[in-house]
Amino acid sequence: MDMETIKEWDGRYVAGTYGRFPLAAEKGAGAWLTAVDGKEYVDFTSGIGVNALGFCDPDWAAAVARQAATLNHVSNLYYNVPMVTLAKTLCERTDYDKVFFANSGAEANEGAIKTARKYSQDKYSEDRYEILTLVNSFHGRTVTTLAATGQTAFHEKFMPLTAGFAYAQAGDLEAIKEKVNRHTCAVMLEFIQGEGGVVPLDRDFVQKTAAYCAEKDLLLIADEVQTGVGRTGTFLASEQFGIKPDITTLAKGLGGGLPIGAVLMGEKCADTLGPGDHGSTFGGNPIAAAGALEVLKKVDDTLLAETVRKGAYIRRRVQAMPMVKSVTGLGLMIGVEFTGCTGKEAADRALGKGAMFLTAKQKLRMLPPLTITDAEIDRGMDILQETLTELQKQKEK
Ligand SMILES: *Cc1c(COP(=O)(O)O)cnc(C)c1O
């Protein structure tokens, strides 16, 4: 199918919720995507931090195909092998006690919110339900996770949202303390605000917030939907912040390209949810679980060390480019702010030259596959360098 037809059908039949780049994907391998017109692109997006192993990793694809031909789905009224194996592997890897499987980041966060509310209502009273989140956070698009998202721009036109959320400024422990009241049951945060512009939280603030939550028996929920599964150079970003939240949510990178979400529960709340309290038709799907198991196998200590090294290398290269104002993030989650152009202008122009980048707020955002090679990084960085040089010349005119 040609680009014109694809655009026409998309415009006519698909709900218009996305502003798309002018690229129609045909196939991919590793860090390379081929468009329907045959043009090839080096990928610094991995979906949006989803394809941790790149496009169509052969071992991942084989595991998924094998599972699809063995057992595609069975309801949660029965057990299945990939689901329990993934649960055991995840818990052992992260030192959490139990996991609930969902199908997306928003759903994982919904599960975390329900767990925190039930924990507090079981232990204290029914009026202990409020979740405190951070200004500029992003937790999803469902009505409840929108309420959790601390950005009013996302709320408009969808009011009223789920009640029982409050927001505090990131980096300010006093602001947290001020907002906590007798209704509060949990604090929810991202270690690096991804959609908010790749903004890392201050380590001291995180540690003090964790200690304060422990003192008040407020559950600390870490939304690691974007930062988890090796993205930042450790399996969980919380390892680098030196804390263990009561609940951690995962999604994006976990399935290697298949929809999956996970709510990891620590000892306080591992047994909070009982029969009938929560559920999902697709959650724990054997094919998604088989894909996730292959991701966990490959995101080992060697790949994590490589993620740190490659992230540092990208930062060094970016810092030497024109118009670069700041570089933020950890590992292979990187945000770049420019002085003379927006991230969107740079991403648009780089795409024309054969490299895919994301944006977050005014920044250019990079979430390349963790398996990207040095040569592929250089290809993308050469294109970005050329892009910024041209944009700078254009601005000077
Ligand atoms: C992407 C994202 C979500 C939402 O995930 P979906 O799978 O799109 O529902 C939630 N939280 C964070 C931090 C994210 O980056």
Side-chain angles (χ1 to χ4, degrees):
M1 201 185 283
D2 63 279
M3 187 66 179
E4 283 318 301
T5 312
I6 294 169
K7 270 172 93 165
E8 192 203 319
W9 288 14
D10 181 82
R12 199 188 305 179
Y13 299 114
V14 181
T17 56
Y18 304 105
R20 301 193 207 274
F21 286 104
L23 184 165
E26 166 101 21
K27 59 183 180 181
W32 291 95
L33 183 90
T34 307
V36 289
D37 61 4
K39 198 173 166 195
E40 293 190 352
Y41 298 82
V42 65
D43 177 34
F44 280 69
T45 71
S46 34
I48 301 178
V50 166
N51 297 333
L53 309 178
F55 292 109
C56 309
D57 174 86
D59 297 322
W60 174 88
V64 166
R66 217 180 305 121
Q67 188 57 46
T70 307
L71 178 74
N72 57 332
H73 172 84
V74 66
S75 78
N76 280 308
L77 302 176
Y78 307 94
Y79 303 96
N80 79 74
V81 176
M83 186 268 290
V84 293
T85 311
L86 177 61
K88 180 173 187 283
T89 309
L90 263 179
C91 287
E92 287 174 355
R93 186 76 187 264
T94 58
D95 200 29
Y96 276 91
D97 295 284
K98 285 194 177 165
V99 56
F100 175 84
F101 289 117
N103 312 288
S104 68
E107 264 189 50
N109 287 337
E110 293 263 354
I113 290 162
K114 282 181 71 175
T115 304
R117 283 188 168 175
K118 181 153 189 292
Y119 171 82
S120 239
Q121 292 178 29
D122 284 350
K123 192 165 171 182
Y124 301 99
S125 66
E126 270 178 24
D127 66 355
R128 196 162 143 141
Y129 53 77
E130 197 167 270
I131 318 263
L132 188 54
T133 72
L134 298 179
V135 172
N136 196 46
S137 57
F138 182 83
H139 296 297
R141 300 281 196 163
T142 62
V143 175
T144 295
T145 56
L146 269 186
T149 293
Q151 303 187 53
T152 42
F154 285 101
H155 297 176
E156 282 157 19
K157 301 188 193 129
F158 302 103
M159 303 299 278
L161 302 178
T162 305
F165 288 86
Y167 317 96
Q169 201 62 46
D172 185 352
L173 182 67
E174 289 313 309
I176 299 259
K177 288 183 177 172
E178 225 164 79
K179 296 275 177 167
V180 168
N181 59 59
R182 67 186 183 86
H183 300 299
T184 313
C185 72
V187 173
M188 182 165 176
L189 51 80
E190 302 154 89
F191 293 106
I192 303 173
Q193 295 184 328
E195 304 305 309
V198 196
V199 183
L201 296 186
D202 177 69
R203 193 166 186 270
D204 186 58
F205 164 73
V206 168
Q207 293 195 342
K208 287 186 170 140
T209 301
Y212 178 71
C213 286
E215 180 196 320
K216 299 279 178 197
D217 198 18
L218 306 170
L219 292 195
L220 183 63
I221 304 171
D223 178 350
E224 293 225 39
V225 167
Q226 192 161 153
T227 56
V229 198
R231 175 54 58 189
T232 67
T234 45
F235 188 77
L236 298 178
S238 57
E239 298 167 48
Q240 292 176 70
F241 286 80
I243 62 151
K244 187 186 167 195
D246 298 296
I247 301 176
T248 289
T249 56
L250 301 175
K252 291 192 166 90
L254 180 59
L258 285 172
I260 188 169
V263 187
L264 297 168
M265 301 155 175
E267 55 182 344
K268 269 192 180 178
C269 57
D271 295 315
T272 294
L273 297 180
D277 284 336
H278 198 38
S280 163
T281 296
F282 290 113
N285 170 273
I287 301 175
L293 276 167
E294 204 56 37
V295 171
L296 293 191
K297 204 183 289 174
K298 296 213 168 189
V299 180
D300 58 8
D301 288 347
T302 309
L303 189 64
L304 292 176
E306 278 290 281
T307 299
V308 173
R309 183 189 65 77
K310 288 184 280 197
Y313 177 62
I314 291 176
R315 272 176 194 71
R316 266 205 311 284
R317 284 225 43 186
V318 169
Q319 240 123 24
M321 292 180 193
M323 299 200 292
V324 170
K325 185 175 169 192
S326 70
V327 187
T328 54
L330 282 171
L332 287 173
M333 178 173 182
I334 299 169
V336 188
E337 191 173 11
F338 305 111
T339 48
C341 69
T342 62
K344 175 72 175 143
E345 286 174 283
D348 282 342
R349 184 174 284 251
L351 188 70
K353 295 175 181 295
M356 297 157 70
F357 292 101
L358 296 162
T359 62
K361 293 281 171 70
Q362 78 285 5
K363 290 185 187 178
L364 186 81
R365 175 169 47 154
M366 303 183 203
L367 298 169
L370 306 183
T371 51
I372 193 168
T373 65
D374 288 7
E376 288 158 351
I377 290 175
D378 277 328
R379 179 79 191 123
M381 290 303 100
D382 291 348
I383 288 175
L384 185 58
Q385 170 102 39
E386 196 181 297
T387 296
L388 294 171
T389 306
E390 285 177 15
L391 283 171
Q392 188 181 38
K393 274 202 195 112
Q394 202 174 303
K395 301 280 161 180
E396 281 167 3
K397 267 190 208 150

